[in-house]
């Protein structure tokens, strides 16, 4: 299998993470996560969670309670560091929870580990935090 | 020079970052940062900054405008991934800006690159975001 540790494959893995969240497909979301001791997830406004099980449980809960969610991503930057991929991205978040519509913005640090056997990137660290929504949220880049 | 890519040296670099901030020593703070294209810094509540110069300028401004700051760190976890060190930590932040005293809590993802020539870790990514202050902020660990 050709080595796919490239910025392009890393950005594709990052994109897949958000599209899977939009699909509200929990089994697919759980397949995107590394099962390791370094799993970390800070949803915007939450206390961070550590460990594969608490993080996956949080995704299940979020997915079950979300009616609809859409991400407008912008300003993605990707860096390779050996077996680790580092992505920073601005998320414009548009969601429906119950009958309420929400829009917000978050900046996210996403770290991926390269799974050599499977030939793909698995996310192990998602740190998202609220930011103001820039006016050009659909047109990016948004991060200075 | 012995290779110092250990969890202990990584945690020491992380500790040094906060102690240097407490010392409000901008020249020392600038020496802790990697000078590279992957430099990223999200101060709690700010839009993230990218690039060595904007990030260092932000530190200069913050240090100039802070009368006093103290960090109670807890729940540190450190992982090595080749030349990259990943630290997550909870920050209890106690500061004085002008005559106002502030206390807040933040969760932080800090990424360090190992500088082989110098034999030390340099920070290149600091993503700090506000969290509620847990009641046992001095006694940690605070992250679940």
């Amino acid at each position: 299998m050709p080595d796919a540790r490239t910025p392009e494959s890393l950005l594709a893995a990052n994109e897949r993470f958000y599209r899977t969240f939009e699909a509200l497909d929990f089994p697919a979301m759980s397949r995107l996560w590394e099962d390791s001791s370094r799993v970390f997830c800070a949803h915007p406004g939450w206390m961070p969670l550590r460990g594969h099980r608490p993080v996956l449980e949080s995704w299940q809960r979020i997915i079950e309670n979300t009616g609809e969610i859409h991400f407008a991503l912008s300003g993605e930057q990707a860096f390779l560091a050996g077996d680790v991929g580092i992505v920073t991205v601005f998320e414009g978040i548009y969601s429906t929870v119950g009958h309420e519509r929400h829009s917000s913005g978050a900046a996210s640090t996403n770290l991926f580990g390269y799974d050599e056997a499977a030939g793909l990137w698995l996310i192990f660290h998602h740190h998202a935090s609220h930011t103001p929504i820039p006016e050009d949220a659909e047109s990016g880049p948004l991060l200075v």
Side-chain angles (χ1 to χ4, degrees), chain A:
Chain A
M1 185 174 301
D3 192 303
R5 269 172 290 198
T6 63
E8 292 72 27
S9 70
L10 179 56
L11 284 170
N14 189 66
E15 180 84 18
R16 193 179 313 120
F17 170 69
Y18 290 99
R19 298 312 158 214
T20 303
F21 189 0
E22 287 182 334
L24 299 173
D25 182 341
F26 174 68
M29 176 57 86
S30 29
R31 288 192 296 272
L32 301 186
W33 282 81
E34 190 178 277
D35 187 358
S36 73
S37 59
R38 62 186 180 177
V39 168
F40 173 102
C41 183
H43 302 289
W46 291 41
M47 278 298 284
L49 301 167
R50 282 171 169 168
H52 186 257
R53 184 189 285 201
V55 168
L56 268 289
E57 284 174 354
S58 75
W59 282 106
Q60 185 160 27
R61 210 154 63 245
I62 287 172
I63 285 172
E64 282 173 2
N65 288 290
T66 303
E68 198 178 333
I69 193 159
H70 171 66
F71 290 93
L73 303 181
S74 57
E76 294 95 329
Q77 281 195 350
F79 296 98
L80 303 183
D83 285 339
V84 168
I86 304 163
V87 179
T88 55
V89 57
F90 180 81
E91 313 167 357
I93 310 171
Y94 308 92
S95 65
T96 308
V97 177
H99 293 289
E100 282 180 54
R101 304 185 71 171
H102 300 274
S103 65
S104 60
S108 194
T109 297
N110 297 327
L111 305 180
F112 296 80
Y114 191 73
D115 181 328
E116 216 148 331
L120 49 76
W121 294 101
L122 295 173
I123 192 164
F124 66 87
H125 186 110
H126 172 61
H127 184 162
S129 57
H130 283 305
T131 60
I133 301 188
E135 286 176 24
D136 57 348
E138 292 281 342
S139 61
L142 297 159
L143 299 174
V144 288

